[in-house]
Amino acid sequence: LVLVAAGMVSFFTANPYFLQLVDWRIYMAEEAEALLHSSKSMNRMLKTMLTMFILFVVTVIQFVCLEVVIGTLTTAPFFFGMLFDNVSLLVTMVTLGLYTDLPDQMVQIFGAMPFLLMIFFSTTFSPGAGVNGVKALRYIFSRFYLWCMLPVDIGMEGCPTD
């Protein structure tokens, strides 16, 4: 329960900042046209690095909070599992928000798809549940492997041995 809560809080902490990337892209495009010496691609790369750094900081805070509350999840592989879980949910917003010309509404719709699909198909909110055909989709989500890394067996079916 604490792992689910920490994941939700970290996602919804970073999500508002990531939703503003479209506005920043439009502003920077207008600014680059006004100032001929400004580089759009360099600004986008710098913004991408800044957003990934913010996501890294949010993941560090999530990891520290889990350590304070639970106290047994202090391994580096578990930290990287949480980091890749957060990145997998928010990287679409970064790529669509910065590197496409989609409007804000479309970026919000398509950017939220990994999160919604993870909720419906990863089976981490109801371990062992799911329809057989749909249950096979859980292997494409990093959250499934994160839950398989837990030291206590919570009933996740089909976890890899390593």
Side-chain angles (χ1 to χ4, degrees):
L1 187 59
V2 174
L3 188 60
V4 171
M8 292 293 151
V9 168
S10 66
F11 175 79
F12 287 112
T13 299
N15 195 32
Y17 178 75
F18 282 51
L19 288 176
Q20 297 301 318
L21 293 175
V22 175
D23 295 332
W24 182 87
R25 179 194 69 210
I26 294 169
Y27 169 74
M28 286 311 301
E30 292 170 355
E31 189 73 24
E33 289 174 9
L35 303 170
L36 297 175
H37 66 277
S38 181
S39 171
K40 291 182 192 178
S41 60
M42 183 185 70
N43 286 339
R44 286 180 179 172
M45 182 53 68
L46 290 173
K47 189 67 167 184
T48 302
M49 291 188 325
L50 179 65
T51 55
M52 290 301 135
F53 177 73
I54 289 173
L55 189 59
F56 181 78
V57 169
V58 167
T59 304
V60 167
I61 293 170
Q62 176 186 0
F63 184 73
V64 168
C65 289
L66 281 175
E67 174 54 31
V68 168
V69 173
I70 297 176
T72 59
L73 305 174
T74 59
T75 62
F78 196 76
F79 171 76
F80 285 111
M82 286 192 308
L83 179 65
F84 285 117
D85 180 43
N86 289 335
V87 167
S88 71
L89 296 179
L90 291 167
V91 73
T92 346
M93 254 182 242
V94 174
T95 54
L96 293 176
L98 292 179
Y99 296 102
T100 65
D101 290 330
L102 291 174
D104 190 33
Q105 294 84 3
M106 298 305 287
V107 170
Q108 289 181 16
I109 290 170
F110 291 128
M113 292 306 285
F115 179 72
L116 294 174
L117 293 173
M118 181 271 306
I119 288 175
F120 295 135
F121 299 129
S122 72
T123 69
T124 56
F125 292 102
S126 56
V131 181
N132 285 334
V134 176
K135 200 163 43 168
L137 293 175
R138 66 182 170 204
Y139 297 112
I140 63 173
F141 297 99
S142 61
R143 182 161 289 188
F144 172 76
Y145 299 102
L146 177 67
W147 280 76
C148 286
M149 291 170 58
L150 290 175
V152 178
D153 183 26
I154 58 168
M156 295 297 288
E157 299 172 353
C159 288
T161 56
D162 288 336

